[in-house]
Amino acid sequence: MKRVPRIIAMGGSSFAANPDNPRLERYIVAQARRKQPAVCFIGTATGDADVYLAKFYAAFTRIGCRPTHLPLFARTPDLRRMLLSQDVIYVGGGNTKSMLAVWREWGIDAILREAWREGIVLAGVSAGAICWLEAGVTDSWAGHLAALPGLGFLKGGACPHYDGEAARRPETHRLVGAGAMPATLSLDDGAAAHFEGRRLVRVVSVRENAKGYRVTRVAGRVVEAPLPVVRLTRSGALPSSR
């Protein structure tokens, strides 16, 4: 039976920043609905930094996965074969503009779209969150935030670190108000948006005050609307409905 396409976009506070609280990672892995799922890390946005890779392996080995990573700055394997054999593909943070340029050169953007349609869980933090949408608010340029076209798997725009970096909220409002960004999903550090198909099914969080927002322009005015949030349990599961 064909699996539903799923994307989980994290605003921040991933395993690299918060290794003792892997609830979001547990939640992501659970969506594979398979014991010991194969999880591939793509660290292109930091140039496959060794420290980031080490943190990935340490975190995902502890939560019962079969981790691997996709190298693009050393000998690169058969990309399609490797990526389509995964249960989860997790994209790290860093320079979004550089990451997307390298992906397009290697044809990874097309392979990821195929993986998404096949139901492989796509996930990521910061650059690895905004890349899936039509546009993202990025700090790829030193000194300022800007709008950047994404892969367009999902409609609208996205902004990570909404409460973690002081410039994020006012700059997102400015970009949406100026028409440089479409309606934008903004995610605090510790919050993640779970999409099935192109539909946002829930926002989950691991911090008490972490939220998600929809920032839109209505009649020439910028409107920020908070979204319902579900707080994950210590195990990374949804709370019981009983």
Side-chain angles (χ1 to χ4, degrees), residues 77-122:
D78 183 317
L79 294 169
R80 188 171 182 275
R81 179 182 299 174
M82 182 176 190
L83 290 173
L84 296 184
S85 68
Q86 304 301 316
D87 298 302
V88 177
I89 297 170
Y90 188 111
V91 179
N95 190 308
T96 315
K97 183 176 176 64
S98 296
M99 176 183 78
L100 291 175
V102 172
W103 283 3
R104 286 169 177 140
E105 178 65 25
W106 281 94
I108 291 174
D109 51 341
I111 300 170
L112 289 172
R113 185 178 289 273
E114 186 177 356
W116 176 58
R117 288 173 171 164
E118 289 296 317
I120 295 168
V121 179
L122 303 183

Side-chain angles (χ1 to χ4, degrees), residues 2-203:
K2 190 171 182 179
R3 295 175 290 181
V4 175
R6 283 161 293 168
I7 290 175
I8 302 171
M10 301 167 58
S13 193
S14 69
F15 64 86
N18 198 5
D20 297 324
N21 185 19
R23 281 185 280 174
L24 281 174
E25 284 75 20
R26 290 184 185 277
Y27 178 80
I28 290 166
V29 167
Q31 308 314 308
R33 303 188 179 105
R34 179 179 298 182
K35 289 186 177 180
Q36 293 188 315
V39 180
C40 181
F41 179 69
I42 304 181
T44 315
T46 54
D48 293 342
D50 289 341
V51 171
Y52 207 173
L53 292 176
K55 289 181 178 180
F56 163 74
Y57 279 101
F60 278 80
T61 299
R62 286 200 301 267
I63 59 176
C65 301
R66 291 179 287 122
T68 189
H69 75 279
L70 177 63
L72 287 173
F73 299 93
R75 293 295 181 116
T76 298
D78 183 317
L79 294 169
R80 188 171 182 275
R81 179 182 299 174
M82 182 176 190
L83 290 173
L84 296 184
S85 68
Q86 304 301 316
D87 298 302
V88 177
I89 297 170
Y90 188 111
V91 179
N95 190 308
T96 315
K97 183 176 176 64
S98 296
M99 176 183 78
L100 291 175
V102 172
W103 283 3
R104 286 169 177 140
E105 178 65 25
W106 281 94
I108 291 174
D109 51 341
I111 300 170
L112 289 172
R113 185 178 289 273
E114 186 177 356
W116 176 58
R117 288 173 171 164
E118 289 296 317
I120 295 168
V121 179
L122 303 183
V125 61
S126 192
I130 66 176
C131 64
W132 312 116
L133 287 94
E134 292 176 305
V137 178
T138 178
D139 60 358
S140 295
W141 293 266
H144 71 283
L145 296 168
L148 179 73
L151 297 176
F153 295 7
L154 303 173
K155 298 291 186 181
C159 177
H161 309 300
Y162 202 55
D163 69 339
E165 298 174 4
R168 290 282 176 169
R169 180 175 259 113
E171 282 299 292
T172 299
H173 283 221
R174 182 186 68 81
L175 291 166
V176 171
M181 284 287 293
T184 296
L185 171 67
S186 297
L187 295 167
D188 290 342
D189 290 341
H194 180 151
F195 292 86
E196 294 189 358
R198 290 187 169 89
R199 182 174 66 91
L200 177 63
V201 295
R202 69 180 65 91
V203 175

